[in-house]
Amino acid sequence: MDHMCVCEDGNNKAWYKKPGNFQGTLDAFLKILRNEGIKSLWSGLPPTLVMAVPATVIYFTCYEQLSAFLRAKLGENETRIPIVAGIVARFGAVTVISPLELIRTKVQSKKFSYKELHRFVSMKVSEDGWISLWKGWAPTILRDVPFSAMYWYNYEILKKWLCEKSGLYEPTFMINFTSGALSGSFAAVATLPFDVVKTQKQTQLWTHESRKSPVPFHLSTWAIMKNIVSESGFSGLFTGLIPRLIKIAPACAIMISTYEFGKAFFQKQNVERQYNSLDGLLTRNVNQSQVR
């Protein structure tokens, strides 16, 4: 989950000043630790959780239900199932959560009471219509939907391959962890250009809003991408590759391995509960027949 905004107060002074110039990911990490303490590495966690929890619930539920439906229709070995299920699940999650992302970003830019937040949303809807709550939806879709398609396809392929190499019928925690990290890395590299565009679009929107100036009309995804290439070359579309990999690889690994572990655990609990219920029913029937 991303959280970023550009915010300035009435005196045009930045509300936050970074502790010096960063020379790279490791340099930034060390300077933030030294100047602000370890807690600052988790700054922005509450609003991120507000987004992450419902998004993850919708995403995984849709993926699991759709995968089960497609397997019943197309068969267990159909390789296109993870792609289709991943695309539809992410499309639905992004569409539902997009208005919350706009509200969260606004809350991060300034402290709002619930009454002020309600007034802001009402004003936004009255001025620009309900569609304004989905601003930034297009670049998010262009980044997240291909990411999900590639991620789930590569994850299922890698998991199956590692199980075959290890001689296992069911994947272990480490197999899920490794498959998640590798597939997340592949998808992160492939969709990075859209992440760069999304970040630039957010920055431009908030910069113009903070300065009370009209938003320029050349903010389409493809126009921003062309500007990046003309100014920085093709490599400009892959700016921030290392930080993105450092974030995405462990996040995907932890997410999918803990999810698979939890799913297996509760499936086992459900099977045992059904077995105990059936065993108890058979015992009662036997006792009743003996009494008769």
Side-chain angles (χ1 to χ4, degrees):
M1 304 299 297
D2 298 322
H3 55 282
M4 63 145 287
C5 63
V6 176
C7 178
E8 294 180 351
D9 61 20
N11 298 322
N12 291 325
K13 293 180 179 178
W15 69 283
Y16 169 75
K17 294 182 179 180
K18 63 181 182 180
N21 295 320
F22 298 143
Q23 304 300 320
T25 304
L26 181 60
D27 181 60
F29 188 85
L30 294 175
K31 284 182 178 178
I32 291 172
L33 275 178
R34 185 169 60 248
N35 290 281
E36 303 175 49
I38 194 169
K39 286 185 179 180
S40 64
L41 296 175
W42 279 267
S43 61
L45 180 61
T48 301
L49 287 177
V50 169
M51 287 282 297
V53 172
T56 304
V57 169
I58 294 170
Y59 182 44
F60 276 99
T61 302
C62 289
Y63 180 81
E64 282 292 331
Q65 296 298 317
L66 190 55
S67 294
F69 173 79
L70 291 174
R71 286 194 184 99
K73 295 291 184 181
L74 303 176
E76 290 288 334
N77 297 322
E78 177 56 61
T79 57
R80 292 170 294 178
I81 290 176
I83 299 175
V84 175
I87 288 174
V88 175
R90 178 55 71 187
F91 190 92
V94 169
T95 303
V96 172
I97 297 301
S98 191
L100 288 178
E101 184 171 11
L102 177 69
I103 294 171
R104 181 196 62 171
T105 310
K106 192 68 179 176
V107 169
Q108 284 184 312
S109 68
K110 184 181 176 182
K111 286 186 177 181
F112 278 93
S113 64
Y114 288 110
K115 188 176 181 181
E116 290 173 327
L117 193 59
H118 180 267
R119 192 182 302 121
F120 161 74
V121 174
S122 301
M123 182 181 67
K124 199 78 175 171
V125 171
S126 62
E127 289 178 354
D128 304 318
W130 285 100
I131 198 69
S132 63
L133 296 180
W134 277 265
K135 187 177 290 185
W137 175 85
T140 306
I141 285 291
L142 287 172
R143 180 193 65 176
D144 289 359
V145 169
F147 182 97
S148 290
M150 287 182 282
Y151 172 76
W152 285 110
Y153 177 77
N154 288 324
Y155 171 73
E156 296 292 348
I157 294 294
L158 285 169
K159 183 173 69 172
K160 185 177 180 181
W161 182 77
L162 289 173
C163 283
E164 290 176 354
K165 288 293 182 181
S166 304
L168 298 172
Y169 179 72
E170 291 291 335
T172 62
F173 183 88
M174 283 308 300
I175 287 178
N176 290 329
F177 191 93
T178 305
S179 302
L182 291 174
S183 57
S185 299
F186 298 152
V189 173
T191 58
L192 181 58
F194 295 110
D195 186 59
V196 173
V197 170
K198 180 177 183 288
T199 302
Q200 285 222 3
K201 192 166 186 176
Q202 281 184 322
T203 304
Q204 289 182 25
L205 285 169
W206 280 106
T207 300
H208 284 275
E209 182 169 321
S210 64
R211 293 173 181 172
K212 307 300 181 183
S213 61
V215 177
F217 292 101
H218 59 275
L219 283 178
S220 70
T221 300
W222 302 113
I224 293 176
M225 194 171 286
K226 288 179 181 178
N227 289 338
I228 294 172
V229 172
S230 63
E231 292 175 5
S232 308
F234 187 75
S235 61
L237 294 174
F238 291 88
T239 302
L241 175 61
I242 300 303
R244 181 162 165 79
L245 284 176
I246 291 174
K247 181 181 81 168
I248 294 295
C252 287
I254 294 169
M255 175 190 71
I256 197 65
S257 55
T258 53
Y259 172 74
E260 293 282 14
F261 177 81
K263 186 172 70 171
F265 174 80
F266 286 111
Q267 283 177 341
K268 184 180 178 181
Q269 293 294 314
N270 289 336
V271 169
E272 289 180 355
R273 186 178 299 174
Q274 290 174 354
Y275 175 79
N276 291 334
S277 299
L278 183 61
D279 185 56
L281 182 62
L282 290 173
T283 302
R284 284 196 299 270
N285 289 336
V286 169
N287 292 335
Q288 289 176 357
S289 62
Q290 288 177 347
V291 170
R292 292 173 185 172

